[in-house]
């Protein structure tokens, strides 16, 4: 079995896959279980081992005996190295970590390819495998990442904006009169309470951002692109968007599985 770890600044998604999957599989095919956890930057390799072993025990998988691979993407160097050291200590193979020098199978047409986040590479690999190109991936996380993949499967670049939760926390934190706000769709775009007005501004404001950015990307691409949403809040924004066509909650994990296979 393959363990895929997408380690973000605030949350970590762990997916347990069957190691052998059909080449034309969907992102969820062969996914035995997945977990979403808080990212704790200070976890030691031994603490990572205890946590992962307890997750695997919950589905009757023995970490040392049944795992045949671990694939990692992370924008947090400290925890990425803890995971790498954990695998090297407790398992009899090295992890595949998306970083400079790792074979992704996708040309990165950035001025400095080393600047591209590992999760963006995993998403681009997965999107092109599932939908071809040109494609725009919108990843809702600590930041809203927009990544553009060409028809030929090249990572062209994209845009990075503050994430929905980060923006909301900053606004509420700087306005003493505002209290906690639930991220749910309001009754109307014209809010009738302060709570609904904030919900409208945040949710519909980000919907407008997504649709506006996708429209601008399409102009640069001189044509239409398939638009895929992923990340923790994709389910909230996608139904309100005019441009998002597909929601793939396991897109990054699927990309990790693909990159792992390309490095065997």
């Amino acid at each position: 079995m393959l363990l895929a770890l997408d380690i973000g600044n605030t949350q970590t998604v762990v997916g347990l896959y069957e190691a052998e999957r059909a080449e034309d599989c969907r992102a969820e095919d062969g996914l035995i279980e997945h977990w979403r956890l808080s990212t704790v930057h200070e976890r030691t390799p031994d603490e990572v081992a205890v946590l992962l072993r307890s997750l695997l025990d919950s589905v009757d998988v023995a970490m040392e005996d049944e795992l045949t691979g671990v694939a990692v993407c992370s924008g947090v160097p400290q925890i990425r190295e803890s995971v790498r050291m954990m695998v090297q200590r407790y398992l009899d193979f090295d992890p595949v970590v998306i970083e400079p020098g790792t074979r992704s199978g996708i040309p990165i047409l950035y001025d400095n390819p080393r600047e591209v986040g590992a999760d963006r590479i995993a998403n681009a690999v997965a999107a092109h495998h599932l939908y071809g190109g040109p494609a725009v991936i919108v990843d809702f996380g600590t930041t809203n990442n927009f990544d553009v993949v060409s028809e030929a499967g090249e990572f062209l670049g994209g845009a990075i904006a503050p994430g929905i939760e980060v923006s909301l926390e900053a606004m509420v934190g700087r306005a003493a009169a505002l209290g906690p706000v639930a991220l749910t769709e309001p009754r109307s775009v014209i809010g009738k309470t302060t709570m609904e007005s904030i919900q409208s501004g945040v949710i519909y404001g980000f919907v407008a951002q997504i649709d506006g950015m996708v429209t601008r990307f399409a102009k640069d691409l001189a044509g239409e692109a398939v638009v895929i949403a992923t990340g923790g809040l994709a389910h909230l924004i996608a139904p309100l968007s005019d441009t998002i066509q597909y929601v793939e909650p396991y897109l990054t994990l699927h990309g990790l599985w693909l990159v792992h296979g390309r490095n065997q």
Side-chain angles (χ1 to χ4, degrees):
M1 297 182 186
L2 171 70
L3 200 63
L5 292 91
D6 170 22
I7 305 170
N9 285 293
T10 56
Q11 293 188 339
T12 295
V13 181
V14 181
L16 179 65
Y17 278 105
E18 295 174 353
E20 298 298 327
R21 300 163 72 206
E23 182 60 31
D24 60 349
C25 61
R26 299 168 300 173
E28 64 270 23
D29 290 345
L31 182 63
I32 298 167
E33 186 56 275
H34 69 281
W35 302 270
R36 185 176 292 271
L37 315 167
S38 297
T39 299
V40 179
H41 296 206
E42 296 77 17
R43 278 198 178 110
T44 67
D46 293 329
E47 289 171 332
V48 172
V50 170
L51 174 62
L52 294 180
R53 186 180 286 110
S54 68
L55 294 176
L56 294 173
D57 284 346
S58 72
V59 290
D60 297 322
V61 173
M63 186 173 78
E64 287 85 349
D65 297 331
E66 297 184 70
L67 282 188
T68 56
V70 174
V72 182
C73 70
S74 174
V76 186
Q78 185 175 349
I79 190 67
R80 180 186 65 217
E81 294 311 309
S82 288
V83 172
R84 192 197 307 268
M85 293 170 63
M86 182 280 297
V87 174
Q88 292 171 342
R89 177 173 179 178
Y90 289 92
L91 303 171
D92 60 357
F93 52 80
D94 290 326
V96 171
V97 181
I98 297 182
E99 57 189 350
T102 303
R103 186 183 302 110
S104 68
I106 186 167
I108 301 173
L109 305 186
Y110 228 50
D111 288 350
N112 182 0
R114 292 176 176 269
E115 292 180 358
V116 182
D119 56 336
R120 299 177 72 188
I121 295 173
N123 286 341
V125 170
H128 191 261
H129 177 261
L130 294 171
Y131 297 101
V136 176
I137 307 108
V138 187
D139 189 352
F140 297 94
T142 304
T143 58
N144 282 354
N145 291 345
F146 300 84
D147 299 316
V148 183
V149 181
S150 72
E151 184 176 3
E154 303 154 319
F155 180 90
L156 299 179
I160 301 174
I164 297 173
E165 292 176 318
V166 168
S167 299
L168 180 59
E169 289 169 5
M171 180 176 66
V172 172
R174 288 177 175 268
L178 300 179
V181 177
L183 273 176
T184 57
E185 185 183 356
R187 292 177 295 176
S188 168
V189 69
I190 303 174
K192 299 299 185 181
T193 67
T194 300
M195 169 80 76
E196 288 185 344
S197 296
I198 295 173
Q199 290 171 331
S200 177
V202 171
I203 293 173
Y204 292 116
F206 273 95
V207 169
Q209 179 197 85
I210 303 307
D211 291 343
M213 291 298 294
V214 169
T215 300
R216 290 175 181 271
F217 289 138
K219 289 180 180 178
D220 269 15
L221 292 168
E224 294 185 357
V226 61
V227 182
I228 307 132
T230 190
L233 293 175
H235 68 282
L236 175 64
I237 300 298
L240 306 175
S241 166
D242 293 329
T243 57
I244 294 173
Q245 298 165 270
Y246 302 98
V247 177
E248 289 285 356
Y250 313 121
L251 188 70
T252 313
L253 299 180
H254 184 64
L256 283 166
W257 174 78
L258 289 165
V259 172
H260 182 271
R262 293 170 185 177
N263 283 270
Q264 298 308 299

